[in-house]
Amino acid sequence: MEKKWITRIRMLIIAVAILVTFVSIIIFTRAIGREVNNQTKQTLRDVGNQNALTVEREITERQNFLQGMAKELQEHAGVSVEEMLNIFEPYVEKYHFKRMGYIHKDGIAYTTDGYCRDLSYRDFYIRGMKGESVITDVMQDALGEPENINVLSVPVYRKSTQKIAGVLFATYRTSSFEELLNVECFEGDGYSMIIKQNGSIVADSSKSIFYGKDNYFNALIARNGSKNNKNEIKAMKAAMKKDKSGTADFSYKSEQYLYYTPIDNKMEEQWYMITIVPAKTFQSRVSPLLHNIWVLLAIIIVVLLLVTIIFSYSYGKDKKTLIRLAYMDPLTEGDNYAYFIEKMYARNETGKLEFIVALDFNEFKVINSTCGIAKGDETLQAIWRVIDNSLNRYELAAHINADHYILYLLAGSKKEVTYRIEKLTRDFMSLPESLQIPDLLPYYGIYQIEENDGVEKGYNKANQAKHFVKGSRTDNFAFFEDVDYAQEVENKRLADGFEEAIANHRFEVWYQPKYSTDGTKAVGAEALVRWREKDGSLIPPFKFIPLFEKNGMIARLDEYVFEEVCRQQKEWLDTNRTVLPVSINISRASLYYSSIVEKYVKIVKEHSVPIEYIQLEITESAMIENSEVKELLDRFHAAGFQLLLDDFGNGYSSLATLNTLHFDVLKVDKSLIDYIGNEDGEKLLKCIVELAKSLGLRTTAEGVESIEQVRFLQNLQCNDIQGYYFSKPLPLADYEELISK
């Protein structure tokens, strides 16, 4: 009897313990759920803003190009359709268009892929003829193979009458927008779409449950017309009218959470980026922790109930199998993302800096498509072995999916992490030879973990940093904190102010004199550009030249500077002032316009300037990237221009350049001039000057700053000297005073 009573007490204690544990787990789980919910919504805002910025850059780049091309057509109203399409052709591939075309006032469209059709019924043509710039909703291609497209269009005006002459348009595959929206977030469960204020869907992630729908709001009401959904839609519409961002939750198949923010596309209709994550994502975040809690509870129950050794053995064996299935990546047989997260929560304090690294590879799909899926899997396994062998004690890594990996690294400094990333890159790039696959180019985003940072937050920020270098030719990794988001905003301000600056002559031409080697007289000058802001301050060229080279505006700036120099030379000639030859830089972007020679000749003739007073400077790097530059240089020469090879010796120099391309002057880069005082460097300079003389080229030394450099160049009989030793770049008034003496 007493034994039964003790047994009952024990069973009661066990039951109470289990109940208390169970209730505690529920309370604890709900608290975790609320915290994860808050963190996820914040991450949702970060991802949504980043997606909006990415799409803004994509659209703005193409809009600026079309606006610039429309102005180009306005300047050359007499260009034939064939010539116009030839101008468009190089940009179709560059900007990933399906085609470009021009619709005449009569509605007949001519396209780069050979179509000539009546598109007068198209809404973008009708609105374009009313002066509107348009990006259409998703529509079926009426010309080529049936597929979803978006069309970007701008009106083209006649310069003489300022009336609309036609509509310039570019067809953009909706799938390209979808690729932008298919950026992985929230472990692949999140997705994005672009809508208008009325809810019509412009572009949609292929993962979206709304994929194929026409209107986001209508789809919500049709599927589940709950009062909550209607209230959320009403609140969203009110916020969108005021161009505001916000979050919302709604019911569609399962509970969903979304963040919406406006996209600045400079068109008539405002777009919004919608980033959505299903409620199940929150559950997956807490599931690893809950799994551990329930496993602990199971162990307590097993101990309390004194299960048999056989059952304990069987349970232990089953548990190992479950862990293997739950935590092992089936392809690499290493850790998967869930196990990575669990290990991160249990990591030890080491006293070192902690870094999350997001890693994937450029165009990895090429390996699958050209070598087969099996070879792609073999490559992913080889990549994992390289990663696993690179890890130190307490460090972690996991294969997430496809060619995406995550690493947790420990280091004493960012420099040490950089060294390890470079070592990994070298190891990865050695794999193609042994595997017989195309080249592997890895890209990394790196985030330094701060106190209380979650794994998901760290991985998302590392991913954001990675996308800033994805596709870059110069960098393949970036630290999140080093990405200059403020510079992105500044670049947008400069790009937006370009047209106003051109119209109001805020770009000033400055002149840096070139002197004879003995320093007795100025023999010419190089035209440089500065941007004068409304408040009178100057924007230095290093802040806007690289930006305009990237977005295509540099070609218009080149032409502006060229015309300003011609106008000023003519003014000095008419007033009987001293006139010296002035060289103008031509950017690599300008060299892609086949009509540039005729355009520049026309400008010289319009200003009645003797062509010997106008010289052109071209960098060797521009020639390396343009296989057709030789033909352009020959045409410039035939027109009478003197050509200067700029920055010779700045990393690209090739003797083949001097042998095959016809230049008149070789400008030796400052990096070589700085070698003066070094025996080997002086020998190199001597060889370059003698080589130039043997080829009949004059030489100009750039960046000369000391009397020792001047004397050495005098002994070499270098023709001209340019640099701060004689004169820094001068504004117009100071240069006029200089040459008048």
Side-chain angles (χ1 to χ4, degrees), residues 648-649 667-678 681-682 684-685 688-689 700-706 708-710 712-713 716 718 720-722:
F648 186 82
K667 296 192 72 177
V668 182
D669 189 71
K670 182 182 186 302
S671 60
L672 293 179
I673 302 302
D674 288 341
Y675 279 130
I676 294 175
N678 174 279
E682 290 179 350
L684 177 61
L685 273 173
I688 290 173
V689 173
T700 299
E702 297 185 283
V704 178
E705 297 179 348
S706 69
E708 291 78 14
Q709 292 174 339
V710 172
F712 181 81
L713 294 168
L716 286 185
C718 180
D720 307 321
I721 291 179
Q722 179 181 353

Side-chain angles (χ1 to χ4, degrees), residues 540-570:
F542 71 83
K543 285 194 173 182
F544 60 85
I545 294 294
L547 170 65
F548 294 160
E549 286 178 340
K550 183 177 181 181
N551 63 22
M553 295 177 179
I554 191 66
R556 290 195 61 213
L557 185 57
D558 283 351
E559 183 178 340
Y560 171 90
V561 173
F562 185 87
E563 187 155 12
E564 283 294 295
V565 170
C566 290
R567 182 192 59 75
Q568 188 60 59
Q569 293 282 66
K570 175 60 175 173

